[in-house]
């Protein structure tokens, strides 16, 4: 008669072996990457470029599912509650960290409900406006926004989005406020900026570069402390009247917590290949950004970075008095 312990150990070994075998065969079907903003925006652009390359490495389709709303928290919640089998991932940005301070009741824990896979890219932002907004320079825009206060409409992708964070910092710096208009992503917001239905937006170069170069929108500055090579005519906000103004939008890839290590390692390896893919690197450069250094494309480094960002932005957000229920 085999002891209970022997039977238990045998069952445990079988389960572990089965799990390892599943992980070793992974992926055996398409992988879904949830983008927590509408299609056509900057997060979607980064995700589709990375997914296209990861598909080649993984030998399975990597599909994008756009789940917009509530500044990216609806999409993040979807992945937090998904099976940890490696088939539902999240590609999110700085909003994953800022939501911790902005939302009083997040339906997930941004630090413990996810398994980090690696950081991807850090994207500059641009302060842009509809083509016929009167100010011609950043200095004129500062005066205009202050003089018109609530009459200026400011687009963002919801509380917790990068465009919301940048807009909040801009209004704090100008000691004024505007009328904010929230969209499910800055893809749809850009459509309204192009049509003149909204005045102003702070958005990532991955979404604004084409429209700026096409002369379809006005651009006043970039939000990095150094100029963006692909937008050489744009001054930094720091040098154009907003001393010290700096915000850039880092992006990372996540799986639900508890995802098996062999799967995490396979996804991390495919992400590293994608961020060396000449097509991805060139497209990133055309859009004002570049892959992060390889040392940051690491699950542990990514995890530590998110924690540090939560600690960094929480006091800034609390000082601005912004929150969402
Ligand atoms: C943001 O503002 O967080 C992003 O630009 C939203 C998006 O990617 O559409």
């Amino acid at each position: 008669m085999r002891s209970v312990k022997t039977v238990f150990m045998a069952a445990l070994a079988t389960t572990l072996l089965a799990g390892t075998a599943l992980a070793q065969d992974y992926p055996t079907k398409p992988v879904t990457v949830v983008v927590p903003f509408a299609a056509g925006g900057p997060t979607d652009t980064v995700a589709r470029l990375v997914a296209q390359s990861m598909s080649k490495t993984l030998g399975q389709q990597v599909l994008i599912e756009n789940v917009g709303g509530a500044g990216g928290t609806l999409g993040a919640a979807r992945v937090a509650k998904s099976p940890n089998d490696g088939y539902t991932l999240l590609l999110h940005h700085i909003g994953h960290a800022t939501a911790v301070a902005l939302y009083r009741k997040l339906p997930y824990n941004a630090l413990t409900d996810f398994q980090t896979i690696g950081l991807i890219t850090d994207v500059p932002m641009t302060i842009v406006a509809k083509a016929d907004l009167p100010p011609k320079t950043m200095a004129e825009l500062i005066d205009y926004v202050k003089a018109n206060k609530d009459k200026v409409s400011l687009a963002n992708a919801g509380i917790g989005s990068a465009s919301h964070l940048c807009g909040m910092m801009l209004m704090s710096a100008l000691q004024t406020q505007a009328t904010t208009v929230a969209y499910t992503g800055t893809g749809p917001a850009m459509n309204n900026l192009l049509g003149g239905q909204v005045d102003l937006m702070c958005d990532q170069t991955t979404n604004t570069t084409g429209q700026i170069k096409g002369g379809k929108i006005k651009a006043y500055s970039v939000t990095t402390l150094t100029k963006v090579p692909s937008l050489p005519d744009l001054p930094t906000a720091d040098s154009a009247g907003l001393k010290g103004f700096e915000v850039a939008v880092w992006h990372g890839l996540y799986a639900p917590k508890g995802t098996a290590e062999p799967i995490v390692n396979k996804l991390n390896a495919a992400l590293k290949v994608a961020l060396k893919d000449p097509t991805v690197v060139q497209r990133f450069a055309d859009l004002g950004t570049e892959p992060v250094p390889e040392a940051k494309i690491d699950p542990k480094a990514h995890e530590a970075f998110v924690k540090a960002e939560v600690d960094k932005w929480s006091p800034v957000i609390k000082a601005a008095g912004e929150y969402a229920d």
Side-chain angles (χ1 to χ4, degrees):
M1 161 76 158
R2 290 202 299 172
S3 73
V4 170
K5 184 168 181 285
T6 310
V7 170
F8 171 75
M9 292 307 283
L12 179 64
T14 308
T15 308
L16 287 174
L17 282 173
T20 308
L22 273 177
Q24 271 151 4
D25 297 341
Y26 170 88
T28 56
K29 62 183 181 180
V31 176
T32 296
V33 173
V34 170
V35 170
F37 297 101
T43 312
D44 188 60
T45 297
V46 168
R48 288 178 192 275
L49 283 167
V50 169
Q52 201 171 9
S53 177
M54 288 181 74
S55 295
K56 288 184 278 185
T57 306
L58 294 171
Q60 286 288 346
Q61 276 194 303
V62 178
L63 306 169
I64 301 297
E65 183 181 354
N66 299 92
V67 180
T73 58
L74 291 188
R78 161 82 72 85
V79 176
K81 298 180 175 70
S82 296
N84 57 10
D85 57 8
Y87 290 101
T88 308
L89 308 177
L90 172 71
L91 194 146
H92 201 350
H93 59 35
I94 190 172
H96 191 55
T98 58
V100 174
L102 284 164
Y103 284 81
R104 287 181 169 157
K105 295 188 291 291
L106 268 184
Y108 57 83
N109 182 309
L111 297 174
T112 59
D113 286 345
F114 296 87
Q115 166 60 54
T116 48
I117 305 292
L119 287 167
I120 296 170
T121 184
D122 205 5
V123 182
M125 300 192 91
T126 48
I127 297 175
V128 294
K130 65 183 182 182
D132 61 356
L133 198 76
K136 292 183 181 59
T137 65
M138 190 67 197
E140 287 179 17
L141 178 70
I142 290 170
D143 294 341
Y144 182 87
V145 170
K146 284 181 169 178
N148 288 280
K149 281 177 73 81
D150 293 327
K151 289 203 290 287
V152 175
S153 55
L154 176 65
N156 66 38
I159 292 181
S161 63
S163 44
H164 162 255
L165 176 69
C166 183
M168 176 191 80
M169 290 170 65
L170 180 61
M171 292 304 137
S172 294
L174 300 183
Q175 298 287 299
T176 187
Q177 64 274 327
T179 298
T180 52
V181 183
Y183 298 80
T184 54
T186 49
M190 179 59 81
N191 293 335
N192 273 190
L193 197 74
L194 290 165
Q197 289 90 356
V198 70
D199 295 329
L200 200 56
M201 180 158 72
C202 184
D203 195 16
Q204 300 172 66
T205 55
T206 35
N207 197 33
T208 58
T209 296
Q211 305 300 354
I212 292 170
K213 294 194 168 188
K216 300 284 197 301
I217 57 175
K218 264 198 179 115
Y220 296 98
S221 63
V222 295
T223 64
T224 39
L225 295 181
T226 52
K227 293 178 83 170
V228 175
S230 54
L231 292 166
D233 302 335
L234 275 193
T236 63
D238 170 62
S239 68
L242 292 177
K243 195 72 192 140
F245 192 88
E246 181 187 13
V247 60
V249 187
W250 52 266
H251 296 68
L253 187 65
Y254 305 82
K257 76 175 173 197
T259 302
E261 190 174 358
I263 293 177
V264 172
N265 294 341
K266 263 191 188 177
L267 288 168
N268 173 264
L271 179 60
K272 281 180 176 163
V273 170
L275 295 180
K276 286 198 182 102
D277 183 326
T279 307
V280 173
V281 174
Q282 185 56 57
R283 194 73 192 121
F284 275 14
D286 295 342
L287 294 175
T289 191
E290 61 185 358
V292 297
E294 182 150 1
K296 288 189 166 186
I297 315 169
D298 166 80
K300 285 281 174 239
H302 180 188
E303 182 183 12
F305 182 79
V306 175
K307 174 80 178 64
E309 285 287 289
V310 169
D311 296 343
K312 169 184 172 182
W313 288 105
S314 294
V316 173
I317 288 161
K318 286 191 168 48
E322 297 259 329
Y323 65 86
D325 285 323

